[in-house]
Amino acid sequence: MCGIVGYIGRRKAYPILIKGLHRLEYRGYDSAGVALINEQGKLNVYKANGKVSQLEAYAADKDTGGTIGIAHTRWATHGEPNAVNAHPHYSESERLAIIHNGIIENYAVLKAGLTKEGYTFKSDTDTEVLVQLIEYTQVNRHVDLKTAVQLALQQVIGAYAIAVLDKEHPDTLIAARKGSPLVVGIGNEEYFLASDATPIVEYTDQVIYIEDEEVVCIQIKNEKLKIKNSSSPIEITTINNVTKTPEIKRLELSLSQLEKGGYPHFMLKEIFEQPRTLTDSMRGRVNVRQDNIALSGFIDNKDRFLNAKRIIITACGTSWHAGLIAMYAIEEFAQIPVEVEYSSEFRYRKPVINKDDVVIAISQSGETADTLAAIQLAKEKGAFIFSICNVVGASIPRVSDSGCYTHVGPEIGVASTKAFTAQVMALTMLALCIGKEKGTISQVQYLSVVQELGQIPAKIERVLGQDKLISDFAKIFSYAQNFIYLGRGYNFPVALEGALKLKEISYIHAEGYPAAEMKHGPIALISQEMPVVVVAPHCGTYEKIVSNIQEIKARKGRVIAVVTEGDELVSKIADYCIEVPETVECLTPLLTVIPLQLLAYHIAVIKGCDVDQPRNLAKSVTVE
Ligand code: AGP
């Protein structure tokens, strides 16, 4: 988590940095800061507790001059969120300033060593230790800044994306990464650094994705911006000083994708985008006229899937829920045993991984630290890694053997919505591809699902048409302290996802359960005060879930049911119903999750919660 941004060029850096921080605020928003070297060579650092707007207010009457600077928006790991712990951090002499995204795991040992050398620390952060170490190295080993950064990073255990300023070298910006993302944007005699491309896109579409253990040194003459020594102003080396050749890539991102487009919140915009995003996810892959699905990541590696004795799916949060749905689809269509693992548990529990296993990693951001570590572990054991990611060029797709991008555009609301449906779509397509190739799915079933995939965007449109009804239900239930969500089969993970959406943005306690499990404990919670959301579309276990609803009603629970259009049984016993169009069972989650996203959204708005940036959370969890 945390967002970092940097600028060096001919324009005033401050407005560019602040705008960049706003774009990155989804990564963390408990405090923010900026460092600038002004025309007189003074290194100014301004920091504020709270969001970027509070930093702007604080810096309003300060000297924000300078054409080089770095800035940071924080999600606290070491040290509580306050202005002292906010980044940038000065070095002891205040010659250097640093920003950092990640965790320096051995900071305590490094700090003890530096303390013995007389260094003092103002903050509780691991980051301040790193800037002190760089300065200590610079001073005691008589080396330039780049070398000091390289030598300091050789001593660091942990994850980092950093950027460093040195007031003695106002023409130089240094950055490095390991385990946390870092992108460099190349403009016209100006350069940008950021955790992702969103702060860069309006200035340039030329980017370099920095790799692990690489150090980038950008050096330009401030006065005339002439390239120093007629060599490239941008130099990339490893932390061991091996020179690397920068690979410039073209950014595929548009500015309009980063705007709210008239919606009050990014989350609502992203919910309403789903008919289009799912169309984009299928484009070039699903050919309804020819009744065919073509996933290049699968086609190129068919044998790995066909020979797999087992598929392990690893992910976190909402992506893990998509993985659970995939378990149903892959086992049904491809008849390969599937295990779905929380990445954070999997990576630490000495899992049995075989060379013929296929590991599917699911991640919207492609940067989730636990998922990245889980696939690295599986890779070491020889498993084949296939990833489903949204952010193009992120770390997870880059370390995977193959994969499939979801192509839904930037998801900015912290609560994942359009990324989830696209993950389910991609995984269902993959299950169908494997099943067809293995001959474990009948032609009739394959064709019916392929045909139905093409109908999904229009059917989601119909569900979105009930937004007003769902917001009315939200008004009725926004008082509740607790919710239960129930579902069965393909819709059990939807119940989990609905509960997660509600708790993360409205701070209402919510639990998701397989509906039949209710009578093994949670039924004790049922009372008039307890809203129960039941996901009950027409499917194989429909009658069973009707009985589960009866059990809730017998105990005076209040039921909000998501049912198939024209439903006759549940609609008679549930208190409130939201209808979704009929579809094949494996695709029902793509429809049933929509009302749950909207319900959570409207309840959070009614409660006055910060929907796009809920407390304590961050969009991209790059710490374990
Ligand atoms: C979902 O609403 C959450 N914000 C969160 O659970 C998220 O899905 C999780 O952190 C995984 O992120 P990823 O998909 O980027 O790996």
Side-chain angles (χ1 to χ4, degrees):
M1 10 267 264
C2 300
I4 69 170
V5 56
Y7 176 79
I8 180 167
R10 61 194 143 81
R11 296 191 239 191
K12 190 175 177 194
Y14 179 74
I16 295 170
L17 295 173
I18 289 293
K19 206 169 187 184
L21 285 188
H22 278 297
R23 293 259 163 79
L24 291 177
E25 213 168 11
Y26 72 89
R27 298 178 65 87
Y29 34 82
D30 61 43
S31 53
V34 59
L36 300 148
I37 304 177
N38 72 9
E39 308 302 328
Q40 293 72 43
K42 186 161 185 272
L43 175 56
N44 289 313
V45 172
Y46 307 121
K47 311 199 276 190
N49 196 19
K51 294 194 171 185
V52 177
S53 53
Q54 277 152 283
L55 171 68
E56 282 180 274
Y58 175 72
D61 58 354
K62 309 277 187 302
D63 169 13
T64 55
T67 56
I68 177 169
I70 54 177
H72 186 272
T73 180
R74 181 169 186 245
W75 185 88
T77 57
H78 293 62
E80 66 177 81
N82 60 33
V84 175
N85 288 330
H87 303 206
H89 291 284
Y90 275 127
S91 61
E92 185 79 13
S93 71
E94 300 195 352
R95 170 181 167 171
L96 309 181
I98 195 171
I99 51 173
H100 169 219
N101 168 31
I103 290 183
I104 310 297
E105 288 172 15
N106 59 337
Y107 83 102
V109 178
L110 297 171
K111 190 172 183 174
L114 288 162
T115 306
K116 269 196 201 144
E117 298 292 333
Y119 279 72
T120 55
F121 294 86
K122 296 186 181 68
S123 76
D124 305 318
T125 65
D126 50 336
T127 304
E128 193 183 9
V129 176
L130 181 55
V131 73
Q132 302 282 45
L133 182 63
I134 294 169
E135 181 172 288
Y136 174 80
T137 310
Q138 208 178 14
V139 172
N140 290 283
R141 305 214 17 202
H142 309 290
V143 291
D144 62 15
L145 179 63
K146 184 190 81 179
T147 311
V149 169
Q150 290 171 328
L151 294 172
L153 292 178
Q154 287 171 19
Q155 298 176 59
V156 160
I157 299 171
Y160 54 80
I162 57 162
V164 187
L165 287 185
D166 179 351
K167 71 176 176 183
E168 302 299 323
H169 294 285
D171 57 354
T172 306
L173 183 56
I174 304 257
R177 78 155 264 180
K178 183 184 176 191
S180 298
L182 183 64
V183 189
V184 175
I186 303 167
N188 181 15
E189 295 184 325
E190 60 182 351
Y191 296 85
F192 307 84
L193 290 175
S195 299
D196 67 31
T198 56
I200 296 175
V201 62
E202 67 191 275
Y203 308 106
T204 178
D205 63 357
Q206 302 290 300
V207 294
I208 301 170
Y209 293 99
I210 304 302
E211 301 286 344
D212 273 353
E213 299 202 336
E214 285 183 353
V215 178
V216 54
C217 176
I218 307 167
Q219 195 174 41
I220 58 181
K221 275 195 176 174
N222 246 354
E223 331 80 74
K224 289 188 187 147
L225 290 162
K226 291 269 157 52
I227 296 168
K228 268 206 159 177
N229 307 327
S230 72
S231 61
S232 168
I234 182 159
E235 182 200 17
I236 300 179
T237 56
T238 66
I239 60 169
N240 297 314
N241 205 29
V242 176
T243 302
K244 302 292 278 286
T245 310
E247 195 187 332
I248 300 173
K249 299 216 161 122
R250 195 160 170 274
L251 204 57
E252 282 171 27
L253 183 69
S254 75
L255 209 48
S256 64
Q257 290 176 307
L258 305 175
E259 311 290 345
K260 284 189 198 146
Y263 287 91
H265 298 99
F266 280 109
M267 181 180 176
L268 191 63
K269 176 192 174 212
E270 287 158 5
I271 292 172
F272 272 82
E273 275 179 337
Q274 289 173 105
R276 182 189 57 74
T277 54
L278 289 181
T279 306
D280 290 346
S281 291
M282 284 187 281
R283 185 165 294 122
R285 293 168 171 165
V286 179
N287 189 332
V288 176
R289 260 174 296 166
Q290 288 174 9
D291 295 320
N292 192 29
I293 297 176
L295 278 186
S296 58
F298 167 76
I299 295 167
D300 299 343
N301 301 282
K302 236 183 240 174
D303 290 345
R304 290 305 300 247
F305 284 94
L306 299 184
N307 297 330
K309 304 244 169 0
R310 178 176 66 152
I311 290 179
I312 301 168
I313 297 179
T314 186
C316 303
T318 286
S319 297
W320 185 82
H321 297 156
L324 272 187
I325 294 172
M327 176 180 77
Y328 289 86
I330 295 172
E331 292 195 341
E332 179 179 355
F333 302 144
Q335 307 203 344
I336 301 173
V338 179
E339 290 165 21
V340 187
E341 300 273 0
Y342 285 114
S343 303
S344 53
E345 290 297 313
F346 181 68
R347 63 179 289 197
Y348 285 117
R349 69 163 173 75
K350 300 188 178 50
V352 178
I353 306 167
N354 302 313
K355 287 198 170 43
D356 52 8
D357 287 336
V358 168
V359 171
I360 301 177
I362 311 168
S363 174
Q364 186 284 132
S365 62
E367 299 293 348
T368 300
D370 283 321
T371 306
L372 192 54
I375 61 178
Q376 270 153 352
L377 172 72
K379 213 174 167 174
E380 280 160 26
K381 308 251 176 178
F384 178 75
I385 315 293
F386 186 92
S387 60
I388 308 273
C389 288
N390 187 39
V391 178
V392 176
S395 302
I396 289 174
R398 281 192 289 144
V399 299
S400 302
D401 296 306
S402 180
C404 168
Y405 282 116
T406 46
H407 293 308
V408 300
E411 188 180 66
I412 293 168
V414 165
S416 190
T417 51
K418 63 177 180 176
F420 171 77
T421 45
Q423 289 166 346
V424 172
M425 170 78 84
L427 289 156
T428 307
M429 291 192 288
L430 180 64
L432 291 165
C433 288
I434 310 171
K436 188 180 181 205
E437 204 61 43
K438 281 188 76 182
T440 44
I441 180 172
S442 73
Q443 185 69 354
V444 173
Q445 191 178 19
Y446 178 83
L447 295 183
S448 78
V449 181
V450 174
Q451 284 299 322
E452 216 21 57
L453 275 171
Q455 303 298 314
I456 288 294
K459 291 187 175 179
I460 291 182
E461 233 23 293
R462 269 159 58 194
V463 184
L464 292 170
Q466 296 179 75
D467 183 42
K468 170 76 180 69
L469 176 77
I470 296 167
S471 78
D472 289 344
F473 292 171
K475 284 179 201 134
I476 301 168
F477 288 103
S478 57
Y479 74 89
Q481 305 281 313
N482 300 284
F483 266 74
I484 290 184
Y485 285 70
L486 302 175
R488 297 185 78 133
Y490 280 95
N491 284 288
F492 156 54
V494 173
L496 295 179
E497 175 60 7
L500 177 61
K501 285 292 88 91
L502 187 71
K503 55 190 153 194
E504 71 180 324
I505 61 168
S506 73
Y507 318 141
I508 294 174
H509 171 241
E511 296 286 344
Y513 272 96
E517 268 296 300
M518 187 185 59
K519 57 177 107 33
H520 299 285
I523 200 164
L525 296 167
I526 305 289
S527 74
Q528 264 178 330
E529 303 306 312
M530 173 70 87
V532 184
V533 178
V534 188
V535 190
H538 286 156
C539 62
T541 50
Y542 177 73
E543 275 76 25
K544 305 281 174 204
I545 211 161
V546 172
S547 307
N548 298 141
I549 296 173
Q550 298 282 18
E551 289 156 12
I552 301 163
K553 288 311 299 172
R555 286 153 185 89
K556 300 198 167 33
R558 300 175 75 195
V559 173
I560 309 157
V562 178
V563 296
T564 303
E565 282 171 356
D567 178 282
E568 290 193 341
L569 282 180
V570 175
S571 53
K572 288 203 182 83
I573 47 176
D575 299 84
Y576 304 92
C577 278
I578 305 161
E579 291 190 337
V580 300
E582 180 98 49
T583 189
V584 290
E585 185 163 353
C586 66
L587 300 182
T588 52
L590 295 170
L591 303 182
T592 55
V593 76
I594 309 290
L596 306 193
Q597 294 171 344
L598 286 169
L599 185 67
Y601 170 79
H602 287 297
I603 290 178
V605 170
I606 292 165
K607 292 191 73 191
C609 298
D610 190 342
V611 171
D612 284 334
Q613 295 177 348
R615 70 184 180 206
N616 305 336
L617 288 173
K619 181 80 182 157
S620 184
V621 185
T622 54
V623 294
E624 60 171 287

